[in-house]
Amino acid sequence: MTVHKQQNGGKMENLESLKNELVAQVQAAADIRQLEDVRVAVLGKKGRVTEMMKTLGTLSPEERKEAGRELNILKTEVETALEERKEALSAAELNAKLAQEKIDVTLPVRPENQGRIHPVSQIYEEVVAIFGQMGFEVAEGPDIEDDFHNFTALNLPPNHPARQMHDTFYLPKEANGSTDIDDSYIVRTHTSPVQIRTMEKQQPPIRVIAPGRTYRSDYDATHTPMFHQIEGLVIDTNITMAHLKGCLYNFIKAFFELDEIPVRYRPSFFPFTEPSAEMDIGCKKTKNELKIGAGTDWLEILGCGMVHPNVLRAGGIDPDKYQGFAFGLGLDRLAMLKYGIPDLRTFFESDVRWLKHYGFTPLDMASMTGGLSGNGGVR
Ligand code: DAH
């Protein structure tokens, strides 16, 4: 179609009906894609209106002025229609999307919690909750220790026979280049070095527990190369063995969630305590079951004693003025006993089926008021 062949009046009429036709096409576009097709067909490089624009060059200057003005009006009108339709379609599309993606908040939550707390973490929280209520603070020390803190300061000088029992992992001597045995590095064989590190940092009164990882070269159903212990240390001017007994008795009753539990202290030996003892609790052992809190059998639970004066001295505390008690217990072993887990190696296999069976739900936080192990040990 060309403009110049028509009379002025006819042309106007023609452009008016063309405008109506194009606007109708724009309005008929059902979605953004169709609208874009209409735009290209009308205003694109080879679009109807664009082609008409191209013929303007063949007109006389006056005709061109008039026709150009009218074509521009047409073009603007079509553009406006396109713009309006685009806005309407976008809004409709957005509304449709919103309606489709609407969340029904009345639907039930996901049927099953997947995450579980590992029994070691659970026991850790339980023990910290119990001692926390008795006024103990949590102390920490490094996993990579020097010989001095792990042995010598704990009254195990070089060549002491008790060192042999620890199956120590030694780190390469070159690690610090020293030939002095006290400076050589190991991974700590127990949490007892935290006793020394605490004494180095603070004077009595001291009342701390130190939970953490410990390492020994050993591997069977009840030993793994990495395991967990909790150390306890209380030092003040007037601490006696009676405090030790009362404190540990309260702990063990709270831990096993029992009102009464038979307890006995057996004389023992640890270089860092004098006297030393091991605490046993009453239980009933049958072939397939262990029942804690009743019966005529005994089960060893922890090692303890009055802190040896040499240990106080090594930690910079005057043994003529202060005395105290210490204890150490195996966290993993406690978990095995409390939750009936037969093999320690399974703790570290990262098997999610195992974790699902023995693990704890995250919202059951251990606390002395809200219940230690969730529903009182029933899961
Ligand atoms: N450190 C000892 C061990 O790993 C446990 C222990 C016994 C710690 C008696 C103590 C204690 O603090 O008094 O076998």
Side-chain angles (χ1 to χ4, degrees):
M1 173 202 274
T2 52
V3 181
H4 67 283
K5 295 237 168 66
Q6 286 157 16
Q7 288 297 338
N8 221 2
K11 190 177 70 188
M12 287 295 283
E13 214 174 281
N14 208 314
L15 281 184
E16 184 67 24
S17 71
L18 177 61
K19 185 197 93 180
N20 290 341
E21 184 196 332
L22 295 180
V23 168
Q25 276 182 26
V26 166
Q27 264 149 18
D31 57 34
I32 300 276
R33 262 194 80 135
Q34 277 184 26
L35 187 68
E36 180 61 8
D37 290 344
V38 173
R39 190 192 65 79
V40 171
V42 178
L43 299 175
K45 253 193 188 151
K46 292 192 174 144
R48 267 169 95 176
V49 173
T50 315
E51 291 295 338
M52 284 164 75
M53 293 278 202
K54 284 182 195 162
T55 64
L56 287 174
T58 62
L59 301 181
S60 68
E62 294 92 75
E63 279 178 320
R64 191 188 309 149
K65 204 171 157 202
E66 172 66 7
R69 200 178 63 84
E70 284 166 7
L71 268 183
N72 266 334
I73 291 173
L74 169 71
K75 193 179 161 206
T76 309
E77 278 170 344
V78 175
E79 276 172 351
T80 309
L82 279 165
E83 204 61 42
E84 282 170 6
R85 185 68 188 147
K86 191 171 177 187
E87 246 171 60
L89 285 174
S90 303
E93 255 175 41
L94 183 64
N95 283 338
K97 205 168 166 200
L98 285 177
Q100 202 184 26
E101 291 177 2
K102 180 169 70 177
I103 296 171
D104 184 352
V105 290
T106 64
L107 285 175
V109 290
R110 278 198 298 169
E112 204 182 352
N113 289 328
Q114 293 296 333
R116 287 288 188 281
I117 303 288
H118 194 286
V120 170
S121 305
Q122 172 72 20
I123 295 286
Y124 175 110
E125 293 296 339
E126 291 181 19
V127 173
V128 169
I130 298 168
F131 282 108
Q133 208 198 31
M134 290 195 232
F136 282 70
E137 283 174 51
V138 173
E140 283 182 332
D143 285 21
I144 294 179
E145 260 299 1
D146 54 45
D147 190 279
F148 174 77
H149 288 91
N150 195 81
F151 291 125
T152 305
L154 288 163
N155 205 26
L156 282 109
N159 303 321
H160 192 288
R163 282 181 172 228
Q164 250 79 67
M165 288 160 53
H166 278 226
D167 302 311
T168 311
F169 285 118
Y170 291 92
L171 297 179
K173 264 232 174 315
E174 310 85 68
N176 60 6
S178 171
T179 49
D180 183 346
I181 186 160
D182 272 354
D183 289 342
S184 55
Y185 286 134
I186 57 158
V187 274
R188 66 180 176 193
T189 57
H190 51 178
T191 42
S192 302
V194 186
Q195 289 190 30
I196 305 296
R197 295 203 173 265
T198 306
M199 292 184 220
E200 284 171 345
K201 265 189 253 159
Q202 81 182 85
Q203 281 291 307
I206 291 175
R207 212 189 296 164
V208 293
I209 51 166
R213 294 195 173 113
T214 47
Y215 307 82
R216 292 185 198 181
S217 179
D218 212 346
Y219 191 63
D220 60 32
T222 51
H223 298 89
T224 48
M226 191 280 291
F227 55 107
H228 301 83
Q229 285 190 341
I230 290 204
E231 193 76 14
L233 179 68
V234 175
I235 301 176
D236 209 337
T237 49
N238 54 356
I239 300 295
T240 70
M241 194 112 184
H243 293 116
L244 176 157
K245 289 172 74 176
C247 173
L248 293 179
Y249 181 53
N250 281 339
F251 162 70
I252 217 69
K253 280 192 302 181
F255 178 76
F256 284 107
E257 300 173 55
L258 293 168
D259 292 335
E260 281 305 324
I261 188 163
V263 165
R264 75 175 182 190
Y265 292 86
R266 242 177 328 102
S268 182
F269 175 80
F270 301 103
F272 28 89
T273 44
E274 181 58 38
S276 302
E278 272 168 313
M279 179 180 159
D280 295 345
I281 57 172
C283 64
K284 190 172 167 208
K285 292 178 186 166
T286 57
K287 223 166 137 203
N288 301 319
E289 218 196 3
L290 176 70
K291 194 168 162 23
I292 284 165
T296 52
D297 301 315
W298 293 102
L299 189 71
E300 181 195 319
I301 285 288
L302 55 81
C304 55
M306 301 306 290
V307 181
H308 197 292
N310 286 350
V311 175
L312 292 173
R313 231 173 265 125
I317 287 173
D318 181 358
D320 293 327
K321 199 166 159 201
Y322 295 109
Q323 55 196 332
F325 68 83
F327 56 90
L329 46 91
L331 216 61
D332 319 81
R333 197 170 121 78
L334 281 188
M336 291 170 83
L337 290 174
K338 184 164 178 178
Y339 297 116
I341 308 173
D343 192 327
L344 185 56
R345 290 167 295 196
T346 58
F347 278 58
F348 309 110
E349 280 170 0
S350 303
D351 184 332
V352 287
R353 293 162 304 176
W354 182 89
L355 195 57
K356 200 165 178 187
H357 182 73
Y358 288 113
F360 293 79
T361 50
L363 293 179
D364 277 346
M365 289 298 292
S367 84
M368 291 299 282
T369 44
L372 261 195
S373 49
N375 305 322
V378 182
R379 281 167 298 133

